[in-house]
Amino acid sequence: MSAQQESELMDRVPTGLFIGGEWVQAEGGKTFDVHDPSTNRVIRTIADGSAADGIRALDAAVAAQDAWAATPPRTRSDILRRAYDLVQQHKDDLALLMTLEMGKPLAESRGEVTYGGEFLRWFSEEAVRINGRYGLNPEGTGRMVVSQRPVGPSFFITPWNFPFAMATRKIAPALAAGCTVVVKPAQLTPLTTIFFAKLLEEAGLPAGVVNIVSTTTSSKVSGPIIADPRLRKLSFTGSTPVGRRLIADAAQNVLRVSMELGGNAPFVVFEDADLDKAVEGAMIAKFRNIGQACTAANRFIVHESVAAEFAERVTARVNEMKVGRGTDDGVTIGPLIDADAVAKASELVQDAVTRGATVRTGGHAIASDGTFFEPTVISDVQAGSDILVEEIFGPVLAIATFRDEDEAVALANATEYGLVSYVFTQDLARGHRMIDRLESGMMGLNVGVVSNAAAPFGGVKQSGMGREGGPEGIHEYLSTKYTLIPVD
């Protein structure tokens, strides 16, 4: 990819806030820089929204709500479908934009465009399937009408690691249900969401239905929006500590909330596992998105009889990985998002080594202008190591061992989180037991990736509440209304 192509793409990314169907400056003309983590160079300077700008965006969403809710489902469906088609037309632009602002290899960015686009297509189809029920009550005294109505104006706080898919996964069901939205993209990766807003505008979305406020002062912008009694829904993807604070804030107005929070996914390999599949699944579950995913396998819990072979085989695969800028040919590991992420990965590896773990490959930051960390495998990780408790969010594969099924389950469930788990076994009965015994909202059985637009995404325990995707996803944006009509 040439520097000229990158520059031409950046010139097509709006620099303003998107409020009420218009691209506008932030209050006082404030701006901030967006950086390429592979070089630390500034790639675009955009509007830095204030608390007042956030309320302006909510004003626009509130003003558009009634008309959008009354828009025929087929019309809403058609707009989402046109947005999907436009995403396909601009898939190369979106992929390059994500790689430049987030760092992931271009092949992975293309995969995210495909995945994120599917939410537009899926919910374009769900928009016309919102239904209720009608029938006589048991006493025969009245007829019951149960209907679904849009929740109302919604506020989305999206993360930096999947800039496109996290936007579409929230925006698409909200629009399908008839809700208007304000989106606050992550400060580190706002450009993809901004570009997507252009495509929604081109698809014919009415003014004010989607509003985008980029900012460097997240809490100052989010606080007044969440406190405003006109807001009816909050959806957040990010860390559990921040999610807890947002839930507390949302409780003041009894907002509907969806929270997709932290993860600490176990990857359990039983003694009878197909190791070819387990190794392949491990590479995807661990190193997809440079390990910067809430669904990333965080703890590899491997039966002691196969642990040595598993470690040897994944180490060989990791040694073949190419580290570099995501636009370069053959790169499979790009930079981490910032220097703090590199420092965290280094600290977790060092703590594990201090407690007795063995570094099989990698383990260090890479000196460069960007924020790179070597893809790493460590084995013999001991109980009490921080890496078994904290979310790594980096390309570090940490292996611990177990002796029997009960110990594997105990180790897998020994976390406050419960987003996803991965299990590799050829014993069908054991696989079914794991579905029941592992405390997670999702599970991959002999597979290293589970996400799909047609499936409900979400966790249990402190990994959050609510579901995104699948038929369940649209119900997060609908309220049930019951009406009784007396029988004459």
Side-chain angles (χ1 to χ4, degrees), residues 18 39 72 79 123 147 305 335:
F18 189 56
T39 62
I79 290 172
F123 286 109
S147 57
S305 67

Side-chain angles (χ1 to χ4, degrees), residues 422-487:
Y422 304 94
V423 174
F424 282 76
T425 178
Q426 297 186 82
D427 184 331
L428 182 60
R430 173 184 278 156
H432 280 286
R433 289 196 299 273
M434 292 302 102
I435 293 172
D436 293 332
R437 297 186 71 186
L438 295 188
E439 298 168 351
S440 61
M442 302 176 287
M443 191 178 104
L445 184 57
N446 296 319
V447 67
V449 61
V450 300
S451 300
N452 190 287
F457 187 104
V460 298
K461 300 196 287 189
Q462 294 201 36
S463 285
M465 62 186 76
R467 294 295 182 268
E468 295 181 323
E472 295 83 358
I474 199 168
H475 289 287
E476 297 287 331
Y477 299 94
L478 294 169
S479 291
T480 300
K481 185 170 187 176
Y482 154 62
T483 304
L484 179 66
I485 305 172
V487 173

Side-chain angles (χ1 to χ4, degrees), residues 138-474:
E139 298 77 15
T141 59
R143 301 194 182 276
M144 302 179 296
V145 179
V146 179
S147 57
Q148 303 290 331
R149 296 291 302 161
V151 168
S154 303
F155 180 44
F156 300 153
I157 303 173
T158 58
W160 53 262
N161 55 341
F162 290 96
F164 182 63
M166 297 304 97
T168 58
R169 200 161 77 182
K170 296 181 189 300
I171 292 172
L175 299 192
C179 299
T180 59
V181 305
V182 176
V183 183
K184 189 207 76 61
Q187 175 185 342
L188 295 170
T189 59
L191 304 181
T192 304
T193 303
I194 291 170
F195 192 87
F196 176 53
K198 271 186 59 177
L199 301 185
L200 288 172
E201 187 179 23
E202 188 176 340
L205 191 70
V209 175
V210 170
N211 306 273
I212 312 291
V213 181
S214 52
T215 183
T216 59
T217 56
S218 180
S219 59
K220 289 182 179 179
V221 170
S222 300
I225 295 175
I226 295 170
D228 195 302
R230 299 174 298 171
L231 186 74
R232 297 313 315 144
K233 166 80 182 187
L234 169 65
S235 179
F236 168 73
T237 297
S239 73
T240 294
V242 174
R244 291 191 196 107
R245 293 197 296 271
L246 291 172
I247 291 169
D249 292 343
Q252 301 308 306
N253 286 330
V254 196
L255 294 181
R256 287 273 292 273
V257 295
S258 297
M259 293 281 149
E260 197 264 280
L261 306 178
N264 188 7
F267 188 105
V268 183
V269 182
F270 284 98
E271 67 274 17
D272 67 336
D274 180 328
L275 283 188
D276 289 337
K277 290 182 179 179
V279 169
E280 195 62 40
M283 301 307 293
I284 298 171
K286 176 71 265 180
F287 295 103
R288 174 174 171 257
N289 214 48
I290 325 166
Q292 299 174 122
C294 55
T295 55
N298 212 61
R299 299 166 294 144
F300 286 78
I301 303 168
V302 185
H303 192 272
E304 59 184 10
S305 67
V306 296
E309 183 180 356
F310 177 81
E312 183 178 332
R313 292 173 66 169
V314 294
T315 300
R317 290 287 298 274
V318 169
N319 283 333
E320 296 172 353
M321 289 181 155
K322 180 180 178 181
V323 179
R325 192 168 190 251
T327 53
D328 294 343
D329 290 342
V331 165
T332 51
I333 296 291
L336 295 185
I337 191 64
D338 58 18
D340 288 343
V342 173
K344 181 179 181 181
S346 297
E347 290 165 5
L348 290 174
V349 170
Q350 187 55 50
D351 173 78
V353 170
T354 299
R355 297 174 188 270
T358 300
V359 176
R360 289 178 169 264
T361 190
H364 301 94
I366 300 173
S368 72
D369 292 334
T371 46
F372 293 91
F373 192 86
E374 294 174 326
T376 299
V377 178
I378 58 176
S379 60
D380 306 311
V381 177
Q382 302 300 305
S385 299
D386 291 344
I387 206 165
L388 298 178
V389 179
E390 298 185 24
E391 195 169 17
I392 302 168
F393 246 62
V396 180
L397 192 158
I399 303 171
T401 61
F402 70 92
R403 293 183 177 180
D404 57 37
E405 182 177 312
D406 287 343
E407 184 183 9
V409 171
L411 290 171
N413 289 340
T415 174
E416 64 185 356
Y417 300 107
L419 184 60
V420 63
S421 55
Y422 304 94
V423 174
F424 282 76
T425 178
Q426 297 186 82
D427 184 331
L428 182 60
R430 173 184 278 156
H432 280 286
R433 289 196 299 273
M434 292 302 102
I435 293 172
D436 293 332
R437 297 186 71 186
L438 295 188
E439 298 168 351
S440 61
M442 302 176 287
M443 191 178 104
L445 184 57
N446 296 319
V447 67
V449 61
V450 300
S451 300
N452 190 287
F457 187 104
V460 298
K461 300 196 287 189
Q462 294 201 36
S463 285
M465 62 186 76
R467 294 295 182 268
E468 295 181 323
E472 295 83 358
I474 199 168

